[in-house]
Amino acid sequence: MQTELSKRLGVEHALFGFTPFPAVAAAISRAGGLGVLGAVRYTAPDELERDLDWIEEHADGRPYGLDVVMPAKKVDGVTEADVEAMIPEGHRQFVENTLAAYGVPELAEGEAAGWRITGWMEQVARTQLDVAFDHPIRLLANALGSPPADVVARAHDKGILVAALAGSARHARKHREAGIDVVVAQGYEAGGHTGEITTMVLTPEVVDAVHPLPVLAAGGIGSGEQAAAALALGAQGVWLGSVWLTTTEAGLPSPLLVRKLLAAGSGDTVRSRALTGKPARQLRTAWTDAWDDPEGPGALPMPLQGLLVAEAVSRIQKYEVDPLLGTPVGQIVGRMNSERSVQAVVDDLTRGFEQAVDRINRIAGRSQQ
């Protein structure tokens, strides 16, 4: 699975794996893809530095990247406490009432929420970048539009390619104008924040819109056959996220969540604002149903919603409250039916890719067999 982009980055396969788990990122790189660590959950620079050091030690010298969530525009002087103060009391009460309805215990006294989205904040994201630029990352991806111009310039000065996710051709053109090197066309099927255009439609639109920039296809891709289809649509690789959740290296702390992922079908996800305030595909649960109920208060805009539900999500995860327990995941969850190593996933992807290419060659009368 070699393309111009994969050759430029020095990876064997044009597989780009986004993951919040350092062990998965390193394993993807060792398997011949490009592991990309998600930074949004890191609030302390030393924690990110520790995990990037770990990846560097365990990637066997293979390239890897980092994914941040950084707005192109910022509001100076706004702290997390300032944002917290904007959350209406009625929404806080709704959270507590919902948790009480399902008997979710409180955290222990003094125990902080283990899940907190603060990486979206300008000052946090910049501390992440200060750490990242001291490491030999090959790709810097931004999940919230184009990063600020000075960040793009700083990355380019260090020889780092900059990627940005796009849910429409219009967004992709803005990335091109901002000097982005790689556009990730993320379709409706994807896990996490995603738009309303499907991958099959979006990919060729973005390819045409930003030519000759390389495009990665994302959303609903979890097999080699789908990867071959993405390249046939003009992409120079595939961006995979959900498929790594049930790998052995991910080591999800909740056995119940793993079982729910393995049992879920492709129709068991929903785009909901429950997690961050922006539409994000995730497992459908009683928690997402509560926030999507028109009789409820409705989700707050980003970043208020993420801060509002941080402790609640931690409580749900810690106590494994089945009706409420979920996670961001794409529609490809319907194919995630067993726990496998990252290497096994990559082997299956490359094998399926070869078979798909051979099948097309036979149809076209070009088979060498």
Side-chain angles (χ1 to χ4, degrees), residues 219-227 240 243 332 335-336 340 345 348-349:
I221 300 173
S223 73
E225 291 82 358
Q226 291 168 317
L240 311 174
V243 293
I332 196 63
R335 292 181 64 102
M336 295 157 51
R340 298 181 293 165
V345 172
D348 186 57
L349 283 162

Side-chain angles (χ1 to χ4, degrees), residues 11-289:
V11 296
E12 182 180 356
H13 307 301
L15 300 173
F16 297 74
F18 165 81
T19 175
F21 307 111
V24 175
I28 293 168
S29 291
R30 288 198 307 271
L34 186 83
V36 181
L37 180 67
V40 71
R41 68 187 180 91
Y42 292 93
T43 57
D46 58 333
E47 294 175 353
L48 178 60
E49 184 168 20
R50 175 201 63 204
D51 284 354
L52 288 177
D53 287 343
W54 191 94
I55 291 174
E56 197 169 331
E57 293 171 3
H58 293 82
D60 292 349
R62 305 291 183 89
Y64 62 93
L66 187 73
D67 179 278
V68 297
V69 178
M70 191 174 193
K73 299 179 180 179
K74 67 176 180 177
V75 179
D76 291 322
V78 177
T79 67
E80 185 176 335
D82 294 331
V83 177
E84 287 265 18
M86 301 177 189
I87 297 174
E89 184 58 35
H91 279 73
R92 294 186 188 278
Q93 191 59 54
F94 179 77
V95 169
E96 288 306 316
N97 291 344
T98 304
L99 295 176
Y102 290 91
V104 183
E106 298 274 356
L107 295 176
E109 186 175 351
E111 182 178 0
W115 181 95
R116 197 164 182 81
I117 291 182
T118 54
W120 53 267
M121 297 184 72
E122 173 79 10
Q123 60 268 36
V124 176
R126 287 192 176 273
T127 62
Q128 293 171 348
L129 292 172
D130 288 339
V131 171
F133 286 144
D134 285 336
H135 291 74
I137 63 171
R138 296 296 306 278
L139 181 74
L140 176 67
N142 190 48
L144 198 64
S146 304
D150 68 295
V151 171
V152 176
R154 190 176 174 190
H156 287 167
D157 286 344
K158 291 183 173 291
I160 300 169
L161 296 185
V162 180
L165 276 65
S168 70
R170 178 173 59 86
H171 292 154
R173 292 188 190 97
K174 289 184 177 180
H175 293 334
R176 181 187 60 191
E177 293 166 2
I180 299 304
D181 304 293
V182 181
V183 177
V184 182
Q186 179 168 282
Y188 173 81
E189 303 93 327
H193 296 138
T194 184
E196 299 182 347
I197 306 174
T198 64
T199 305
M200 178 66 77
V201 174
L202 179 65
T203 302
E205 286 186 353
V206 171
V207 169
D208 290 344
V210 301
H211 180 78
L213 289 185
V215 172
L216 301 177
I221 300 173
S223 73
E225 291 82 358
Q226 291 168 317
L231 268 60
L233 293 172
Q236 286 200 31
V238 289
W239 179 273
L240 311 174
S242 297
V243 293
W244 314 113
L245 287 174
T246 52
T247 56
T248 52
E249 290 89 347
L252 288 178
S254 169
L256 174 59
L257 181 56
V258 173
R259 292 196 296 271
K260 291 186 75 169
L261 287 168
L262 296 177
S266 56
D268 293 328
T269 68
V270 63
R271 284 175 75 247
S272 171
R273 300 178 185 269
L275 192 61
T276 68
K278 290 176 67 68
R281 186 170 299 284
Q282 54 203 283
L283 283 179
R284 181 175 182 177
T285 66
W287 180 253
T288 62
D289 286 348

Side-chain angles (χ1 to χ4, degrees), residues 294-338:
E295 296 186 3
L300 295 169
M302 189 179 191
L304 300 182
Q305 182 72 11
L307 293 173
L308 168 67
V309 305
E311 181 179 322
V313 171
S314 290
R315 290 164 61 183
I316 292 166
Q317 292 176 345
K318 176 179 180 178
Y319 299 109
E320 294 192 301
V321 184
D322 192 343
L324 303 177
L325 184 62
T327 186
V329 69
Q331 291 181 332
I332 196 63
V333 70
R335 292 181 64 102
M336 295 157 51
N337 301 318
S338 64

